[in-house]
Amino acid sequence: MVSCTEFIPLYSELFKYLEDIGGHNEVVRYWEYISDTYVADLLGKEVEGKGLHGCWDYWAKSLNEEACDFRMELDEKNGTFSIDMRYCPSRGRLNAYDHMEPYHDYCGHCALLYARQLEKFNIKMEEFDVSRIDEAKCVLKFKTETKKKNGEKLHMDRHAADNEYFHRDFHISAKRGLEYVGEKYGDDAVADYLTRFAKAYYAPLAGRVKKDGLAALCEHIESTYEAEKASGNVKCKLSENELSVSVSECPGVRYIRQSGNDPTKWYVELTRTVNKAIADMCGLCFELLSYNEEDGATEYIFRKL
């Protein structure tokens, strides 16, 4: 499993993969797909009937779950809504990696995903300032001609330390990416994409495993489930030459199903393909023994060659 706290590099590598296949236009087509499916469902439900206040409700949830450092303002009388992102943890994480580069237009997805849907409700993006993305800062401003004489004027000021970085909707975003690649390019493309991601993102982990052995891999797996608040879902058995892992339920699959979605037939590859790539980098053998598509329960083994 790839934790929701590890989704951002997975997303960035997806953009790179799609650009390699079909150029930047293919990345934009993916953003449009996500906007018209996932974002339309989430943001559209909030904005329909509530206008700008729906924007406030949507981002109040997501920005706090992502532990952003931001100031958000809503002025229904003047028809304006703005987000001053003083530090975006998602972009900040990408900036901080020494072993991988962010997709060159990573932040472009924010503008397209949201502006495309809000235009349906006569809400226009007035400004999207990404001149300081090297500091993980940006500014978004929206405006509508639909003003409310007795509307509210609200502001929210949050620091990153005020919240925990735990945005479980990223599990749904991960499965959308797998579906797009799988449905458009096939099974081999899904495996290729995830292998590229694993080799880029987990390179430091491979280094630790080569140095400290299977114990480092065991620690990584346990920390992944701890990050998902599901430590009780995983049991690792470690010996000198083998690490066996048993997962009673995948928290990603559980959240996706609880949200009324199907995990997609390719979701298993976040376990099978990703772990196979990690094993290859470490000079290990990986074997997936079982996987339950209903709840993501799985058993697998890493062995020394």
Side-chain angles (χ1 to χ4, degrees):
M1 181 190 68
V2 175
S3 170
C4 66
T5 61
E6 299 176 310
F7 167 72
I8 297 304
L10 181 71
Y11 213 35
S12 180
E13 290 301 308
L14 173 59
F15 300 161
K16 292 180 186 179
Y17 183 74
L18 293 176
E19 181 155 304
D20 285 346
I21 292 176
H24 189 261
N25 286 341
E26 176 60 1
V27 180
V28 172
R29 282 190 286 270
Y30 174 70
W31 292 345
E32 291 173 343
Y33 159 78
I34 290 297
S35 180
D36 293 341
T37 54
Y38 180 51
V39 176
D41 184 50
L42 291 181
L43 182 59
K45 286 180 179 179
E46 294 287 357
V47 176
E48 186 173 12
K50 294 192 291 185
L52 281 181
H53 209 297
C55 294
W56 172 273
D57 292 340
Y58 173 82
W59 270 291
K61 175 180 181 292
S62 65
L63 296 184
N64 279 292
E65 287 184 350
E66 292 184 55
C68 298
D69 191 311
F70 69 96
R71 180 179 175 84
M72 189 166 70
E73 296 184 345
L74 169 69
D75 187 341
E76 289 186 296
K77 293 180 180 179
N78 289 316
T80 61
F81 171 74
S82 66
I83 301 170
D84 180 3
M85 185 71 74
R86 297 181 300 237
Y87 182 78
C88 171
S90 297
R91 179 68 200 214
R93 288 178 177 223
L94 288 177
N95 290 349
Y97 294 139
D98 293 328
H99 61 288
M100 59 188 299
E101 291 287 329
Y103 176 62
H104 67 87
D105 189 27
Y106 179 82
C107 294
H109 77 278
C110 282
L112 188 148
L113 263 59
Y114 301 120
R116 184 178 176 87
Q117 296 308 313
L118 292 177
E119 286 177 356
K120 298 177 181 179
F121 303 96
N122 298 313
I123 299 173
K124 305 293 184 183
M125 178 174 281
E126 191 175 42
E127 180 182 349
F128 183 49
D129 182 359
V130 291
S131 61
R132 300 179 68 185
I133 56 172
D134 58 328
E135 301 174 58
K137 300 177 186 290
C138 70
V139 175
L140 297 94
K141 293 183 179 180
F142 298 92
K143 190 175 183 64
T144 181
E145 296 303 318
T146 307
K147 302 174 183 179
K148 295 185 177 181
K149 184 177 180 180
N150 298 315
E152 291 189 276
K153 188 171 184 178
L154 305 172
H155 77 273
M156 181 182 293
D157 203 306
R158 292 286 189 274
H159 297 286
D162 294 337
N163 294 297
E164 178 186 12
Y165 186 83
F166 191 55
H167 188 51
R168 293 186 298 167
D169 282 351
F170 281 156
H171 286 306
I172 300 174
S173 298
K175 85 104 177 180
R176 295 278 185 180
L178 294 174
E179 284 177 328
Y180 185 86
V181 175
E183 291 174 359
K184 194 166 185 180
Y185 299 107
D187 297 347
D188 289 345
V190 172
D192 188 22
Y193 153 49
L194 292 179
T195 298
R196 289 195 196 187
F197 156 72
K199 288 183 176 180
Y201 179 63
Y202 293 113
L205 170 63
R208 293 196 299 274
V209 174
K210 289 177 182 178
K211 179 178 179 290
D212 300 326
L214 290 169
L217 190 52
C218 180
E219 180 182 350
H220 163 74
I221 293 169
E222 289 176 341
S223 67
T224 297
Y225 285 85
E226 183 179 351
E228 286 287 334
K229 305 184 188 305
S231 296
N233 290 24
V234 64
K235 294 187 182 301
C236 295
K237 185 177 180 181
L238 179 64
S239 66
E240 182 179 353
N241 296 311
E242 182 177 287
L243 171 63
S244 62
V245 181
S246 176
V247 178
S248 59
E249 182 186 42
C250 172
V253 172
R254 179 182 62 213
Y255 183 76
I256 290 169
R257 290 203 181 280
Q258 287 176 344
S259 302
N261 291 273
D262 186 314
T264 183
K265 70 174 186 177
W266 292 287
Y267 204 81
V268 62
E269 302 307 331
L270 291 174
T271 297
R272 178 164 49 204
T273 298
V274 169
N275 282 332
K276 173 66 166 56
I278 292 172
D280 288 346
M281 287 191 291
C282 299
L284 301 171
C285 174
F286 170 77
E287 183 180 0
L288 179 65
L289 301 177
S290 66
Y291 181 82
N292 186 319
E293 292 188 356
E294 185 61 30
D295 60 9
T298 186
E299 294 186 356
Y300 56 86
I301 294 176
F302 290 93
R303 294 191 184 94
K304 289 184 179 180
L305 294 174

